[in-house]
Amino acid sequence: MNKTKYDVAIIGGGHNGLTTACYLAKAGLKVIVVERHEYVGGAAVSRELHPGWTYSNCSYVCSLLRPEIFRDLELSKHGLQIIPYEGSASMLNDGRFYAHYQDHDLTYRSIAQFSKKDAEAYDRFGKDVMRQCKIIKPLLKMTPPDPTSFKPKDIMGLFEFAKYFAAKDELGGLGEKEIYDTIRFWTMSVRDYLEEYFESDIVKVHLAGSAIIGTALGPYSPGSAYVLLHHYMGEVDGTVGAWGYSRGGMGSITKAMASSLKSNNGEIKAGSPVSQILIKNNKSYGLVLENGDEIYADKIVSNLDVKRTFLKVVEEKELPSDFYKAVKNFKIRGSSGKLNIALDDLPIWKSIPVGDPAGTGDLHITQNIEEMEGAYDDWKDGKWSQFPYVDMCIPSINDPTMAPQGKHYMSVFIQYVPYNLANGGWTEEKRLEFGKHVMNRIGNYSTNFNDIINHAEIRTPKEIEAEVGLTEGNIFQGELTMDQLMFNRPVPGYAQYKTPIKNLYMCGSSTHPGGGVMGAPGVNAAREILKDLKMKISTHYI
Amino acid sequence: MNTSKISYKKPLLETPFHERTSEHCYANDWYRWAGYKVAKEYSSTELEYTSMRNTAGVIDITPMHKYDIKGEDAKKFINKLITKDITNIQSNQVAYGIWCNEDGMVIDDGTIFCFNENHFRIFCAERNLNWFSDTATGFNASVEDISPSIAALAFQGPLSCKILNLLKVENIENLKPFHFNNYNIENHNVTISRTGFSGDLGYEIWCDPSQAIDVWDSLFKFNRDYKVLAAGMNALEMVRIEAGFIQPNVDFMSAEQALRPNRMRNPYELGLGWLVNLDKEYFTGKQALIRHKEKGPEKKLVGLDIEGDKPAVGSVLYDNSKKNQAKEIGIVTAAMWSPVLKSNIAIGFVSKEHYKLGSNVYAEIYHPEELDYRKIWAECKVVKKQFFNNPRRNETPAFT
């Protein structure tokens, strides 16, 4: 039995758990991260599942990770590097391709092939989305105020919220119009939003992808536009909305965090699944591991999603019944699958020439919004999409560490795949059939893809849930819809990283501002914990 | 624009003059303009500038955006679009105008060529296809982006008319400012307008891309006697500042592009109130412009005559000769040492209390000097933006 008593024990070594741990350890607290697997990372991992190949087998690209966290935790010193995308493309059935490039003029011409108006509208769209990003960015950093509370802290918080909307300097004085736009953006469907700017199908569907990735929403579902915004909030070296590869795979992020944690004397206990949080008199004081060991700590922080935390490792009797009910009702629906493919060669696309930067970023094959919505309809029927939306990329083109020389690693994110399959549920055969179906779809756009597949890891929401521990395999630890954002995330009244159990906190993506390898929930939680300890967080983040 | 030939290896388009411009561009120093490659400097900005003030300079302005407006409501459409009234415009006349959004904030400026009642052409710096198309709703008027179909040269300088005359361009000396007509340059049919950015006598020549090289060569034909130079964007920037022409996204943010709403500017703030006709029937932004006019501008874009000879590039403006008591009251948007005026001039925004002509404000100039900055607190006098306006610019018949 571990006799040491810790200041803080964190359940789960995902990127948010590690972020919280790093900040707390930096502040001088005695911190332990307890991780189920032998490796840390949660959904930000690099795994050699096929000899010679490194798979970012869950999350696969980086943009949202807050640069301030990168800087505070000295992640560069601990081995992390982000490589920017060079382009992205959608391949058309007629043999053409639609591309975005780093070069703005080239992107203009690329879009103008489909519509001159859209090429121009892309700048308008970019500006409007950027404005919304600027509005939301400061909100990411804030602990959501409780609108029903009269505590000075919350009143000040609401004032801060309001201030951002009226700020003259930071946002350039938002007028009524911009505030209307914000409210519309947060509630609209992405299809309706894009319809206001663009006329060409391929332009719309290429942009709509960001709005459905990871969600159980379709492009026609109200609220999907916000998800697009969520994916645009990131940046690579000041380029807002840009995406990049984490060199060495997404695991490099969490490895660097783990290394940073250790440099501040934080501990990581791997291979130690937690079975229960110890609670007495409505106060948590420790953890029980599956092997029966107990770890004691003044504060417990859960990086698990809110459902796993309160339905699995906290006993129901310890919780207020309303809270328990709200957690049960929290929407966290599995809708995504993932293929990780070892390739013997570089795929040759029928449309994108070899060497074109458009082929080195995210690639898509969905032809129009209706096809995308159709993919969603299949999901509602409990089937995997016949024409799935795929977000695929070949990180090994830009990252020399992912595959043996001359070989390549391809990550394919698939939308939509149900957690519960109709007609008898998932079986091993159905999983393989699903993988084959997706690979066949991709193969239609390539001359050699089917012949160069060396190995493929096929993951349905079931596998994602089983390995990463995300309920239903939902990558955001809960839908990013307005009813579950800000002061409603995860549960109204408990949006400030605290829980009904004293000394028990949450720091995962189930909390504000939500999912993505962002780290914002982690740092916000650390700040709240330190505040309760009358300590201050040291960060560039505020 | 031949979009079918897109290649990532060639992100920029070449203008129909590229064969010549690349020949002249010894400095191999290029500038991006609307997706085209144009010379920033050919060999010497100073000499290129001088050609426009002494003989004539040739600038490739092909990347200008060009929109054809056709249909029986063409004029009505333009009257809704722009802030001034063009009801009485005649064929072959050019109008200079600005267009605003609903909030009365300036989107862009441009020249509007009237071919006839049913056919206009707008030349402007920014892309406006969406804005024009949206505005055209409800009118029997089509908006077409014809940018790639016309090659264009600015031919600016005191000898510009003389050289066209030597090229036997018939009756060119009688073309009045802000007018255009069809002419013939050595067997090529071209359109010539008496317009330009230089504040001096000058023309803009519009032709079919297939004739571009011949027209270019013609303009240099008398170089043995009158040295004409190809002039780059740096030289153009100099003459336009001297002439007091303002540029969207340089001197002010286009309302279509400003990310921060408080960076948008109304015409009164830009000193372009004279382009707004509030007596006109409804046009986009009218209601807001009435309010803007009543209220008066909080700040205004003015000319600044600055002591000393160090250009006040990017300077912040203050209200007091004593630095420690000074309050920020504005910013410089464009600045230069003017060779022709032998003056240190600038264009900048100055707040309400200080924008009256003759007011004194102060610029903090960071002048780089051998890896160090000299910080200069320079007195500036608020003057008209139009620093250079040679009478020959408007004389008709023009100087030959």
Side-chain angles (χ1 to χ4, degrees):
Chain A
M1 192 195 270
N2 195 328
K3 294 256 163 52
T4 329
K5 196 181 166 210
Y6 294 89
D7 293 323
V8 185
I10 291 160
I11 312 170
H15 67 277
N16 279 315
L18 291 167
T19 298
T20 304
C22 283
Y23 280 99
L24 297 180
K26 254 179 73 157
L29 296 176
K30 192 166 175 53
V31 177
I32 186 166
V33 173
V34 185
E35 167 59 45
R36 183 164 69 118
H37 290 295
E38 292 298 338
Y39 53 89
V40 293
V45 289
S46 303
R47 303 193 61 205
E48 187 173 334
L49 296 176
H50 186 60
W53 273 266
T54 302
Y55 292 169
S56 286
N57 79 325
C58 200
S59 65
Y60 49 103
V61 283
C62 182
S63 159
L64 302 173
L65 180 64
R66 302 305 316 149
E68 301 90 339
I69 295 174
F70 204 125
R71 196 169 166 187
D72 289 341
L73 306 183
E74 300 182 291
L75 299 183
S76 171
K77 196 173 102 182
H78 294 285
L80 181 59
Q81 188 186 344
I82 307 297
I83 310 162
Y85 267 19
E86 294 173 26
S88 89
S90 280
M91 297 183 258
L92 277 79
N93 289 341
D94 64 9
R96 292 182 295 166
F97 70 103
Y98 167 88
H100 288 184
Y101 296 93
Q102 287 260 350
D103 188 301
H104 179 262
D105 289 315
L106 192 57
T107 302
Y108 172 86
R109 284 169 65 202
S110 163
I111 305 174
Q113 292 178 105
F114 299 90
S115 160
K116 263 192 178 184
K117 271 190 178 175
D118 286 2
E120 196 180 301
Y122 183 62
D123 287 346
R124 217 189 238 188
F125 168 80
K127 176 202 68 184
D128 288 352
V129 173
M130 172 84 98
R131 192 182 281 156
Q132 297 302 327
C133 286
K134 284 186 93 66
I135 292 171
I136 207 152
K137 219 169 133 183
L139 304 185
L140 301 180
K141 302 182 181 186
M142 295 170 67
T143 295
D146 181 347
T148 62
S149 154
F150 292 101
K151 284 186 203 151
K153 183 187 85 171
D154 289 303
I155 291 169
M156 285 308 287
L158 282 172
F159 177 71
E160 286 281 299
F161 254 55
K163 200 181 79 185
Y164 278 114
F165 283 89
K168 287 279 177 271
D169 300 329
E170 273 132 297
L171 302 171
L174 286 185
E176 273 171 45
K177 220 184 234 170
E178 288 74 30
I179 292 171
Y180 293 145
D181 279 348
T182 301
I183 291 164
R184 292 176 72 239
F185 204 153
W186 288 5
T187 52
M188 268 174 116
S189 81
V190 72
R191 183 262 178 198
D192 289 349
Y193 189 72
L194 293 169
E195 202 71 23
E196 293 187 357
Y197 294 88
F198 303 108
E199 58 184 16
S200 160
D201 281 342
I202 198 68
V203 179
K204 283 184 270 187
V205 78
H206 185 86
L207 293 168
S210 298
I212 60 150
I213 286 178
T215 74
L217 300 174
Y220 280 75
S221 311
S224 51
Y226 174 81
V227 185
L228 178 130
L229 185 61
H230 194 87
H231 278 113
Y232 275 51
M233 286 183 304
E235 58 188 283
V236 175
D237 296 327
T239 308
V240 176
W243 285 80
Y245 298 116
S246 164
R247 194 170 191 270
M250 294 300 278
S252 298
I253 296 172
T254 45
K255 274 179 212 154
M257 286 174 170
S259 168
S260 175
L261 174 62
K262 284 173 189 162
S263 74
N264 282 306
N265 305 316
E267 289 176 42
I268 294 171
K269 192 170 172 60
S272 309
V274 170
S275 66
Q276 205 191 321
I277 295 172
L278 293 166
I279 297 164
K280 200 174 168 183
N281 287 335
N282 196 36
K283 265 188 201 170
S284 67
Y285 64 95
L287 308 169
V288 189
L289 304 183
E290 273 182 9
N291 66 8
D293 285 0
E294 295 187 353
I295 293 173
Y296 303 111
D298 290 339
K299 307 235 178 245
I300 308 291
V301 188
S302 175
N303 183 193
L304 313 181
D305 69 57
V306 66
K307 281 204 160 162
R308 264 186 129 69
T309 304
F310 294 103
L311 308 181
K312 294 243 159 68
V313 290
V314 171
E315 284 184 290
E316 188 183 338
K317 65 174 190 309
E318 304 286 353
L319 296 168
S321 51
D322 281 356
F323 177 83
Y324 182 80
K325 212 196 293 173
V327 170
K328 275 196 101 164
N329 289 333
F330 185 69
K331 282 184 300 177
I332 179 163
R333 300 171 295 196
S335 63
S336 318
K338 180 84 196 283
L339 300 187
N340 294 293
I341 307 173
L343 297 169
D344 282 328
D345 202 347
L346 195 62
I348 294 168
W349 304 113
K350 288 176 182 170
S351 54
I352 309 170
V354 174
D356 194 312
T360 66
D362 52 312
L363 301 174
H364 314 274
I365 56 174
T366 305
Q367 305 293 308
N368 52 55
I369 299 258
E370 288 65 35
E371 186 182 312
M372 189 181 259
E373 183 72 8
Y376 178 55
D377 291 338
D378 291 339
W379 175 86
K380 282 184 278 181
D381 293 341
K383 297 182 287 193
W384 62 72
S385 304
Q386 197 192 344
F387 295 97
Y389 170 79
V390 299
D391 183 32
M392 55 186 175
C393 57
I394 309 169
S396 52
I397 298 175
N398 296 65
D399 180 349
T401 68
M402 301 295 283
Q405 187 182 356
K407 319 265 183 193
H408 285 281
Y409 158 59
M410 184 167 172
S411 160
V412 184
F413 181 86
I414 305 127
Q415 203 70 19
Y416 300 84
V417 194
Y419 176 72
N420 288 311
L421 211 51
N423 304 325
W426 285 101
T427 61
E428 185 57 10
E429 276 133 45
K430 282 182 184 165
R431 185 178 69 89
L432 294 175
E433 194 189 323
F434 156 69
K436 212 173 150 210
H437 176 71
V438 175
M439 286 186 271
N440 282 339
R441 288 285 309 143
I442 297 168
N444 290 339
Y445 296 86
S446 169
T447 56
N448 67 344
F449 181 71
N450 295 326
D451 309 324
I452 57 174
I453 298 168
N454 184 310
H455 170 264
E457 183 201 15
I458 301 162
R459 317 184 78 194
T460 74
K462 290 276 182 198
E463 282 74 39
I464 297 173
E465 178 182 62
E467 185 192 297
V468 189
L470 295 164
T471 299
E472 286 209 14
N474 180 295
I475 67 167
F476 294 133
Q477 284 202 351
E479 286 290 335
L480 299 175
T481 47
M482 271 324 275
D483 57 320
Q484 301 196 154
L485 288 172
M486 311 260 223
F487 35 72
N488 286 329
R489 191 168 185 92
V491 171
Y494 295 96
Q496 301 180 336
Y497 310 93
K498 295 187 180 66
T499 71
I501 313 286
K502 206 163 178 257
N503 294 335
L504 175 61
Y505 297 80
M506 293 176 276
C507 73
S509 295
S510 283
T511 61
H512 171 78
V517 186
M518 191 183 319
V523 61
N524 287 352
R527 188 184 53 230
E528 289 304 308
I529 294 162
L530 288 169
K531 218 186 265 172
D532 288 351
L533 290 167
K534 312 250 183 293
M535 294 169 74
K536 271 221 150 126
I537 191 164
S538 153
T539 178
H540 291 97
Y541 192 64
I542 305 304
Chain B
M1 177 163 46
N2 192 344
T3 47
S4 62
K5 277 192 198 151
I6 285 189
S7 162
Y8 66 93
K9 293 176 189 169
K10 267 198 163 184
L12 294 182
L13 295 164
E14 291 168 356
T15 77
F17 301 104
H18 190 73
E19 200 185 318
R20 289 292 181 271
T21 54
S22 54
E23 221 172 82
H24 282 73
C25 193
Y26 311 137
N28 204 15
D29 191 1
W30 300 92
Y31 178 81
R32 280 173 178 242
W33 181 6
Y36 284 90
K37 208 173 153 176
V38 290
K40 198 188 276 177
E41 179 176 71
Y42 283 95
S43 61
S44 157
T45 294
E46 195 186 348
L47 298 182
E48 291 157 34
Y49 159 85
T50 304
S51 73
M52 284 187 277
R53 294 285 180 238
N54 177 44
T55 53
V58 178
I59 303 171
D60 181 0
I61 55 164
T62 306
M64 289 269 295
H65 297 290
K66 313 164 193 95
Y67 300 96
D68 249 1
I69 315 297
K70 286 180 175 167
E72 59 182 64
D73 288 342
K75 192 192 262 183
K76 281 188 192 153
F77 157 76
I78 289 173
N79 258 335
K80 183 185 175 187
L81 175 77
I82 69 170
T83 59
K84 82 172 179 193
D85 191 354
I86 58 150
T87 309
N88 296 322
I89 198 168
Q90 302 295 316
S91 297
N92 291 38
Q93 213 180 333
V94 180
Y96 171 63
I98 50 170
W99 43 98
C100 295
N101 67 12
E102 206 185 323
D103 303 322
M105 297 302 181
V106 180
I107 293 173
D108 199 359
D109 64 348
T111 48
I112 298 148
F113 285 46
C114 173
F115 290 89
N116 58 54
E117 289 281 305
N118 304 325
H119 182 196
F120 290 80
R121 188 170 289 161
I122 306 178
F123 298 93
C124 50
E126 298 298 317
R127 291 193 170 106
N128 278 285
L129 183 60
N130 281 302
W131 186 258
F132 291 172
S133 302
D134 292 351
T135 306
T137 311
F139 290 103
N140 184 356
S142 65
V143 178
E144 194 191 349
D145 181 359
I146 53 154
S147 302
S149 68
I150 298 172
L153 292 175
F155 190 46
Q156 303 278 310
L159 298 194
S160 52
C161 184
K162 186 180 189 85
I163 289 163
L164 291 175
N165 205 275
L166 289 170
L167 288 167
K168 301 196 165 52
V169 178
E170 213 172 312
N171 206 23
I172 187 70
E173 66 277 9
N174 287 319
L175 182 65
K176 286 189 253 169
F178 280 91
H179 282 74
F180 70 96
N181 218 326
N182 294 326
Y183 294 93
N184 190 287
I185 298 182
E186 301 196 305
N187 298 322
H188 293 292
N189 293 322
V190 299
T191 301
I192 300 179
S193 57
R194 192 163 164 190
T195 47
F197 297 100
S198 68
D200 204 323
L201 175 61
Y203 300 89
E204 288 172 323
I205 303 170
W206 317 87
C207 69
D208 189 273
S210 64
Q211 305 171 333
I213 297 294
D214 287 351
V215 170
W216 174 282
D217 288 343
S218 297
L219 299 180
F220 291 87
K221 204 173 166 186
F222 297 95
N223 252 26
R224 209 189 58 167
D225 309 320
Y226 305 113
K227 193 164 180 183
V228 169
L229 286 185
M233 289 296 116
N234 287 351
L236 177 62
E237 175 69 3
M238 291 174 75
V239 295
R240 78 93 188 165
I241 297 172
E242 286 179 342
F245 289 118
I246 61 174
Q247 236 187 308
N249 301 327
V250 176
D251 297 297
F252 71 98
M253 284 306 297
S254 161
E256 268 286 278
Q257 291 173 49
L259 188 61
R260 298 163 185 81
N262 70 357
R263 301 299 199 277
M264 297 176 188
R265 296 288 173 260
N266 69 51
Y268 304 103
E269 293 172 318
L270 299 180
L272 297 176
W274 59 281
L275 290 172
V276 182
N277 185 343
L278 293 174
D279 300 330
K280 187 169 79 160
E281 274 180 43
Y282 175 75
F283 60 92
T284 308
K286 183 177 174 179
Q287 294 312 319
L289 286 166
I290 292 170
R291 290 196 305 273
H292 289 313
K293 190 180 182 184
E294 261 174 35
K295 210 174 141 221
E298 286 297 314
K299 52 170 81 83
K300 204 168 172 179
L301 200 58
V302 296
L304 296 167
D305 187 5
I306 304 172
E307 69 172 331
D309 59 359
K310 306 293 182 270
V313 177
S315 287
V316 175
L317 298 169
Y318 296 86
D319 65 348
N320 202 303
S321 61
K322 294 195 186 70
K323 192 173 171 177
N324 55 3
Q325 294 169 20
K327 201 179 91 205
E328 250 184 73
I329 50 119
I331 190 152
V332 167
T333 60
M336 68 180 286
W337 169 257
S338 164
V340 74
L341 300 165
K342 295 288 178 272
S343 296
N344 194 15
I345 61 171
I347 296 172
F349 280 103
V350 172
S351 69
K352 208 176 190 168
E353 301 76 26
H354 305 276
Y355 60 55
K356 228 178 88 189
L357 292 182
S359 303
N360 279 338
V361 298
Y362 298 84
E364 183 165 39
I365 303 169
Y366 277 55
H367 184 68
E369 269 176 356
E370 299 185 326
L371 303 183
D372 214 338
Y373 282 102
R374 184 142 66 91
K375 285 175 224 158
I376 303 164
W377 197 258
E379 187 176 294
C380 321
K381 190 178 282 300
V382 173
V383 296
K384 280 189 176 168
K385 284 197 294 279
Q386 205 177 34
F387 299 96
F388 178 83
N389 186 21
N390 195 297
R392 67 190 165 224
R393 176 188 183 191
N394 293 320
E395 278 165 8
T396 313
F399 172 77
T400 53

